[in-house]
Amino acid sequence: MPPKSLKCKECQEEYPLEAIYACSRCFGPLEVSYEPLDGRDPAELKRRIQAGPNTLWRYADFLPVQRPPEGALPTGMTPLIRADRLGKELGIDELWIKSETANPTHSFKDRVVAVAMARGLELGFKTFACASTGNLANAVAAHAAAAGVPAWVFIPADLEREKITATAIHGARVIGVKGNYDQVNRMCSELAHERDWAFVNVNLRPYYAEGSKTLAYEIAEQLDWRLPNHLVAPVASGSLHTRMGKAFDEWRDCGLVSGPLPAMHGAQAAGCAPVANAFEEGADFCRPVKPDTIARSLAIGDPADGPFALELARRTGGAIESATDDEIREGISLLAKTTGVFTETAGGVTIAVLKKLAERGAFGPGESVVATITGDGLKTPDAISDLIHIDEVEPTVEAFENLELVGVSA
Ligand SMILES: Cc1ncc(COP(=O)(O)O)c(C=O)c1O
Ligand SMILES: [Zn+2]
């Protein structure tokens, strides 16, 4: 499916495949559009995918690069795990967890960076940059190190220490901005005009967004070329949620999968829920909010793709829901105890919303549900430190035998 142009999502004006992201006619966001695939044999497309590498580059036919990069960090093909114990707990007949913790920097952001960086290098950029809530910073720093190019990373200065460490260690220049993510993002939008840098989520945003599609392709392939009935994904800017919808649409159009789109549910933290609020109010636009939540990776108060996430959820019979900080902590703990997957706060949001949807009867008997766990719990240990208890003893068996265990039934 060769990429054809960048197309305005509002007025359909077309632009060349360069480092631009906004329509000069109406300021709408630009998105990669492809030559139609009609006439290609789906069986042949499937064979090409299956013969590809065990990374997201097996989907190169659906990505906006001329050819997959060589020597890039191997990203994607993360496990889709059948979660029967969690499903039983929540009353869901067929539940799957897509664990993005298995990516090189332990979040789904490796996907967007892999694609944006490949395209940025093709366009001749020598320096990479981003505005980040943490995980994107990790990914840009690591992929830049692997590619041997310098990286500049802009984050809110008070971000989780683990995320800062996992970024700086790769040699990236980390700039802690004294403000929230929305301020960091505005600053980077201005900087992108000043400097000849590839800001992966600013001037390369149309290519970056395409990387998220690969998460949806994998789910469909791993379900043996079947679409689930429901998908639950976290929403910050709304790029991941909406691009997974785009991916399923593309694969339906070219006959790789059939049937209706999954109900596309979105999950936000109650302390930063501009999209969930608009969904509840029946509004088409999101009123910006000032984030205040432990889910720092989702703390975007003015989400660029918010209106599109609303449209996708409504069109597919999904919902955008929110979860409080306590529910997020419970979600992290529940997932860990029933599946062995330890997620960061964003995954706690996803599981908390999954639970709410299940309680509300959103999932019918026999329906399949996939919950995307987009990042690793080792990056946000402080969020759940109050839930953790260890028993200490002197190094003797006697001391152990006499230990009064608190909260353990064994
Ligand atoms: C772990 C994690 N999950 C989900 C998201 C949401 O991504 P998007 O901005 O595409 O909605 C982010 C964004 O930073 C993230 O770090
Ligand atoms: Zn336009």
Side-chain angles (χ1 to χ4, degrees), residues 114-284:
V115 175
M117 197 169 278
R119 182 63 190 148
L121 290 168
E122 283 180 354
L123 289 169
F125 283 100
K126 305 273 184 277
T127 301
F128 286 78
C130 68
S132 173
T133 59
N135 285 308
L136 183 61
N138 290 183
V140 165
H143 289 252
V149 292
W152 291 76
V153 159
F154 296 79
I155 51 169
D158 62 351
L159 216 55
E160 295 100 337
R161 195 74 222 162
E162 291 76 10
K163 286 181 180 164
I164 296 176
T165 303
T167 301
I169 193 64
H170 297 294
R173 291 301 294 261
V174 181
I175 309 297
V177 179
K178 296 174 185 165
N180 63 29
Y181 173 79
D182 297 285
Q183 293 170 305
V184 176
N185 191 34
R186 267 195 295 280
M187 179 179 157
C188 287
S189 300
E190 283 179 39
L191 263 176
H193 289 289
E194 306 282 318
R195 305 246 169 169
D196 191 18
W197 290 354
F199 279 85
V200 296
N201 57 338
V202 182
N203 48 345
L204 293 186
R205 191 166 180 86
Y207 310 104
Y208 158 103
E210 293 293 287
S212 286
K213 293 191 312 187
T214 62
L215 184 42
Y217 295 148
E218 274 175 35
I219 290 170
E221 186 183 357
Q222 289 168 325
L223 286 176
D224 203 13
W225 309 94
R226 174 171 71 103
L227 295 181
N229 297 112
H230 297 266
L231 197 136
V232 187
V235 172
S237 72
S239 178
L240 169 67
H241 178 257
T242 51
R243 276 12 176 255
M244 288 202 291
K246 185 182 188 222
F248 291 139
D249 269 336
E250 286 175 355
W251 272 23
R252 283 192 333 160
D253 287 349
C254 66
L256 276 168
V257 292
S258 58
L261 226 62
M264 297 292 291
H265 305 283
Q268 293 212 292
C272 181
V275 193
N277 294 343
F279 185 85
E280 193 180 352
E281 291 160 10
D284 293 335

Side-chain angles (χ1 to χ4, degrees), residues 107-109 133 135 234-240 297-298 300 344 346 374-375:
S107 89
F108 92 98
K109 294 286 181 182
T133 59
N135 285 308
V235 172
S237 72
S239 178
L240 169 67
S297 53
L298 303 183
I300 299 185
E344 73 142 74
T374 48

